[in-house]
Amino acid sequence: MNESVLKLNTHDPRDDHLLEEILSGLNQEQKELPCKLFYDKKGSELFDKITALPEYYPTRTEIEIIESNIEEISACIGKNSLLVELGSGSSIKIRLLLGGLKEISAYVPLDISYSHLIESTNALSKDFKQIKIIPLCVDYTKPFTFPDFDFEWGKIVVFYPGSTIGNFHPAYARKFLGNVAKRTGKGSGLLIGADLKKDKSVIENAYNDSRGVTAEFNLNILYRLNSEIGFNFDTDKWEHSAVYNEKEGRIEMHLVSLTAQNVSHNGTRIFFEKDESIITEYSYKYSLDEFEDLIKDYYRVQKVWVDSNRRFSLQYLSVI
Ligand code: AVJ
């Protein structure tokens, strides 16, 4: 077994209150389910398929930005840094980064899923034998402390790719990034991917692909609620919908009820009108100015890289 896996915090911090969260979301006026429910094994596979779709530009574009600017990115990260990734790096992005960086002190992936963390750590450590990898099993949205590392490092640089920040309401995103800044300290870095505002049709097509993979990804939530939580959703009576709300600057993913119907859980019934929807995800898009405004209380923008179509941005921010 890989030695670094032994250093894992073996407590799986997955939310014990998931059922309460689900039920309270389904009791709201506008019903809602947490988007973290997407990512079981099936959902993660579907997400990987999404990232390869011709319409889904974010992943491909961010990879292209990293590839074309690796020297500058590497210079921002600097030598001897502790590279901390929010979410464990199973993706090609962290591989590109680790392959292009000057000596870093260690790579520290944080992930809520213990098994995901072990898998990606094992895979990465085979290919990057010279890099110290210290996986930590934590819910990075909750307060946590880094262990006392028995080696020196220059500064902490947090890597937060994929425009995952776009899944939070802006007010929460601001608070969350503020907490990251407080935890890492003045002078630390944040290398973050943020999807940009652009033509509505480009955005909507990315979430309504012609092969229906995103629809399958969205509906997978209902299969999970049935098999893991004990709901009885009739999955044939639900439809995927994704619309760009221009005023709010966000994609809204919904599951739409095709008929009036009841769904029950443990004797509790939840009623849905025909055409009523459950919101499963927001994906906020920012202009560069809006994004700077979001982070300016905690960070200074040091560098912004965008693709030639100005669809996506990768930014290096430093904690002030
Ligand atoms: C990469 C997780 C931020 O909002 O684009 C893709 C997930 N949802 N298609 C995004 C997603 C539907 C996604 N994140």
Side-chain angles (χ1 to χ4, degrees), residues 38-39 47 50 56 58-59 162-167 195 206-207 214 217 253 281-285:
F38 284 139
Y39 302 98
F47 180 68
I50 288 175
Y56 192 76
T59 310
S163 198
T164 308
I165 193 66
N167 291 145
D195 198 10
Y207 295 82
T214 310
F217 175 72
M253 292 238 296
E281 185 180 57
Y282 291 130
S283 190
Y284 281 86
K285 312 301 172 190

Side-chain angles (χ1 to χ4, degrees), residues 196-212:
L196 298 174
K197 285 219 162 97
K198 65 187 71 64
D199 193 82
K200 182 177 170 158
S201 64
V202 174
I203 302 179
E204 282 193 338
N205 287 342
Y207 295 82
N208 290 286
D209 64 277
S210 56
R211 289 166 221 197

Side-chain angles (χ1 to χ4, degrees), residues 120-136:
S120 61
T121 300
N122 278 334
L124 274 179
S125 55
K126 275 193 204 104
D127 299 331
F128 295 93
K129 294 202 174 63
Q130 74 292 4
I131 295 178
K132 210 184 291 158
I133 305 181
I134 307 171
L136 296 177

Side-chain angles (χ1 to χ4, degrees), residues 6-23:
L6 297 173
K7 291 184 186 156
L8 280 167
N9 168 0
T10 50
H11 172 65
D12 186 331
R14 218 171 298 239
D15 202 340
D16 301 327
H17 303 292
L18 188 60
L19 177 61
E20 279 163 50
E21 194 180 341
I22 290 167
L23 289 173

Side-chain angles (χ1 to χ4, degrees), residues 85-101:
E85 183 171 10
L86 307 184
S88 62
S90 56
S91 81
I92 182 164
K93 294 169 202 167
I94 190 64
R95 289 172 175 270
L96 281 173
L97 214 50
L98 292 178
L101 293 181

Side-chain angles (χ1 to χ4, degrees), residues 31-50:
K31 297 180 171 67
E32 214 174 319
L33 284 167
C35 64
K36 64 184 167 196
L37 287 175
F38 284 139
Y39 302 98
D40 66 341
K41 193 165 187 305
K42 180 88 208 283
S44 302
E45 284 165 15
L46 286 168
F47 180 68
D48 285 346
K49 269 175 116 176
I50 288 175

